[in-house]
Amino acid sequence: MKLLFLGTGGANWGIEFESRPEFFRRESSAIINDELLIDPGKDVIEALNTFNVDRKRIKYILNTHPHSDHLNEKTLKELQNIGAEFIQFKVGETKTFGRYTVTAFKGNHAACPTTHFLVSDGEKEVYYGLDGAWIMPDAFHTIIDRRVAAVVLDGTYGFDTYSGVFEHNNMGMVVEMTAVLKKYVGRVFISHLSSKHHSTHESLVKQMSEYDVDVAYDGLEIDL
Amino acid sequence: MKLFFLGTGAADWSREVQNDSEYRRFTSTLIDDTLLIDPGPHVPNAIEVFDKDIKNIKYVINTHRHSDHFNADTLALLEENGAEFIDLHAGDKVQIGKYFVEAYKANHGKIETVHFFISDGDKVLFYGLDGSWLMPDESYGLMKKGVDYAILDGTLGEKLGDIRIIEHNDLGMVREMTKSLKPFVKRFCINHFAKEYFPTQEVTEAFGKKYDVDVTRDGEEREI
């Protein structure tokens, strides 16, 4: 399975940061095997161009939740118009399409109905767990039982950031969960990082390597 | 509001009550001698040993049906002595004698579990066990209401990586949540101690100091 992070920022990042010379993040989105897109946000078309993904290859689109940084009608329409199919899920549903089997789990994201996805491409499995605080028991047990190849966690807030931790994770929570997850799963990534609550990417990478957590960045491509 | 801790242990303490000063009965709490939270199997023994009058207990409520928190024989005994069992579910708001009790959905694995906000018109108590990371409704309830005393699940110790964080808190989670909720809670307390991590009261109190939370022991009375 090829997992490509098209965007790794929280809602206060975005493509408009591109004009800045330093490191920036697009709104969070990821694509599997160049054909299954999770979250058609407003930055996705630009990201596909920048990271050399042929948008005509996208067959399926999933959406975690309707917040504007994860679902953009214009992006969705544009991709649907060239053949992608938008597949919607309710919590608990499993659907099979093409080589993929996807199960939707409840994300703990306050009042916003949010689904996290366990995606299998017939070879490997990845759990895409953002946005949301913590992992709910059904998902936690499934991730562990299935020994998934990778888990992507919400990494919105930093160390010593304590507001919003009942809708998103901070690094303390990521450390707590990872200590358990790493006994059972291949890799743990964080994405959906806030621009305001983290230090530089480099220093965060260094800090999180101590806990065996990979900090995603735009354009990061992983072969699982 | 007067709290009396009839039991303060998690389910790994022996079911047979031990004649040992470090022994903890299964967790159960009595409010003003009249409102009992969790009619577990050790409640009759605690009532006897701590010289409580069973006839003063007018109301019984229950967080969840795990066998260390709910025992049919205990409930029958309480009912024979005049207590009324009020079976509460998430979303319930009821007046019970002088207490206004609100039940919120908790995050405790597959079993339906509620946490309580209990107000006597003077003080407000949050009773948050058993459970892992707090759910959005109850955490925002804490922020909105502000409470005098919040009792959190403190089952697990500070060593990272215990899989039971899916259903209970460890001390790292307690640290993250208390820091987040500090502006809204006058004082925090942890309870429901696993024998594995809190073998003695001395160890338990040292953790209380380190994490700046109150701890409990069987037979202790606390005015809030």
Side-chain angles (χ1 to χ4, degrees):
Chain A
M1 177 186 284
K2 184 179 111 180
L3 171 65
L4 170 66
F5 289 92
L6 295 172
T8 56
N12 51 4
W13 280 108
I15 196 171
E16 56 277 12
F17 281 81
E18 196 184 14
S19 56
R20 295 164 27 148
E22 67 265 43
F23 183 89
F24 79 102
R25 296 179 191 277
R26 294 163 184 81
E27 292 175 348
S28 290
S29 177
I31 189 165
I32 291 168
N33 299 333
D34 290 349
E35 55 185 19
L36 187 154
L37 175 73
I38 304 177
D39 284 351
K42 75 165 163 50
D43 298 344
V44 161
I45 300 295
E46 182 275 343
L48 292 168
N49 289 336
T50 302
F51 302 122
N52 298 312
V53 179
D54 179 359
R55 75 184 80 167
K56 289 195 281 297
R57 285 187 60 192
I58 299 176
K59 290 184 180 155
Y60 314 108
I61 302 171
L62 314 182
N63 177 235
T64 55
H65 64 298
H67 280 164
S68 64
D69 54 326
H70 296 263
L71 178 63
N72 176 275
E73 285 300 327
K74 192 163 164 277
T75 301
L76 181 62
K77 286 235 159 55
E78 187 167 342
L79 295 173
Q80 281 176 309
N81 285 343
I82 52 171
E85 184 187 353
F86 183 33
I87 302 173
Q88 290 173 283
F89 283 83
K90 293 193 182 76
V91 167
E93 279 183 330
T94 296
K95 293 184 181 180
T96 300
F97 39 89
R99 63 190 282 204
Y100 300 98
T101 301
V102 176
T103 303
F105 290 88
K106 182 176 166 44
N108 183 32
H109 193 39
C112 184
T114 300
T115 47
H116 294 169
F117 297 113
L118 178 72
V119 180
S120 165
D121 68 354
E123 289 170 10
K124 295 289 169 80
E125 289 182 310
V126 62
Y127 183 82
Y128 193 80
L130 53 95
D131 295 358
W134 208 246
I135 302 175
M136 293 293 94
D138 274 0
F140 222 134
H141 286 295
T142 303
I143 290 166
I144 286 171
D145 291 347
R146 301 188 67 87
R147 304 286 201 274
V148 303
V151 174
V152 182
L153 293 177
D154 179 315
T156 305
Y157 298 117
F159 285 99
D160 302 316
T161 315
Y162 298 106
S163 68
V165 295
F166 299 100
E167 294 182 28
H168 296 284
N169 295 324
N170 70 8
M171 287 305 101
M173 297 159 72
V174 168
V175 167
E176 289 283 331
M177 288 187 280
T178 302
V180 172
L181 291 171
K182 287 299 284 208
K183 295 178 179 179
Y184 307 95
V185 310
R187 299 180 71 173
V188 174
F189 294 91
I190 49 173
S191 183
H192 199 266
L193 280 70
S194 159
S195 67
K196 295 176 186 158
H197 299 95
H198 290 286
S199 50
T200 63
H201 178 71
E202 289 72 22
S203 68
L204 186 61
V205 166
K206 204 172 154 202
Q207 271 181 303
M208 296 314 286
S209 68
E210 193 184 322
Y211 304 101
D212 214 7
V213 174
D214 287 292
V215 183
Y217 54 89
D218 296 10
L220 172 64
E221 187 180 309
I222 308 291
D223 274 309
L224 295 169
Chain B
M1 188 183 290
K2 188 181 79 180
L3 309 182
F4 190 92
F5 300 105
L6 295 170
T8 58
D12 66 342
W13 293 86
S14 76
R15 204 169 176 94
E16 207 61 43
V17 175
Q18 305 293 302
N19 187 17
D20 168 356
S21 63
E22 301 293 1
Y23 176 73
R24 292 177 189 272
R25 290 164 189 78
F26 295 157
T27 301
S28 176
T29 306
L30 189 54
I31 295 172
D32 299 327
D33 291 340
T34 57
L35 170 65
L36 178 77
I37 307 174
D38 287 351
H42 295 151
V43 165
N45 170 276
I47 287 173
E48 192 187 324
V49 170
F50 301 126
D51 207 20
K52 292 286 165 191
D53 186 350
I54 194 168
K55 293 198 186 308
N56 283 338
I57 301 174
K58 293 199 173 71
Y59 316 106
V60 179
I61 57 179
N62 177 232
T63 54
H64 64 300
R65 296 294 202 264
H66 277 159
S67 69
D68 53 328
H69 294 261
F70 185 89
N71 178 274
D73 293 341
T74 296
L75 184 58
L77 179 70
L78 290 160
E79 286 176 330
E80 280 162 27
N81 284 278
E84 178 193 354
F85 177 51
I86 300 112
D87 193 14
L88 296 175
H89 299 275
D92 287 348
K93 299 174 198 288
V94 290
Q95 191 74 34
I96 302 175
K98 70 185 233 195
Y99 306 99
F100 184 62
V101 179
E102 296 173 77
Y104 280 73
K105 180 178 163 49
N107 175 25
H108 187 44
K110 289 190 194 312
I111 193 160
E112 184 192 349
T113 302
V114 288
H115 293 161
F116 300 119
F117 287 87
I118 301 175
S119 168
D120 65 359
D122 177 30
K123 296 290 167 87
V124 183
L125 168 73
F126 174 71
Y127 196 83
L129 54 90
D130 294 357
S132 174
W133 198 259
L134 292 177
M135 299 298 288
D137 282 357
E138 57 182 342
S139 56
Y140 290 111
L142 276 164
M143 293 175 200
K144 203 171 142 197
K145 294 175 209 303
V147 304
D148 295 284
Y149 207 67
I151 301 178
L152 300 179
D153 181 314
T155 307
L156 307 171
E158 61 180 357
K159 195 176 116 237
L160 289 168
D162 191 314
I163 193 171
R164 288 172 287 179
I165 62 167
I166 299 173
E167 296 184 353
H168 296 284
N169 296 325
D170 69 12
L171 292 172
M173 295 158 70
V174 166
R175 178 192 63 229
E176 299 296 311
M177 285 194 276
T178 54
K179 287 194 172 183
S180 171
L181 295 168
K182 204 172 180 138
F184 315 100
V185 176
K186 288 205 180 115
R187 185 69 188 158
F188 289 96
C189 175
I190 55 171
N191 197 359
H192 196 264
F193 299 106
K195 186 182 182 188
E196 181 181 349
Y197 295 106
F198 304 92
T200 66
Q201 186 64 18
E202 193 185 347
V203 165
T204 309
E205 284 175 8
F207 277 133
K209 274 208 182 72
K210 183 172 174 185
Y211 288 84
D212 192 23
V213 291
D214 288 348
V215 296
T216 59
R217 75 187 303 171
D218 289 18
E220 188 182 358
E221 182 176 300
R222 185 164 303 151
E223 187 74 36
I224 64 163

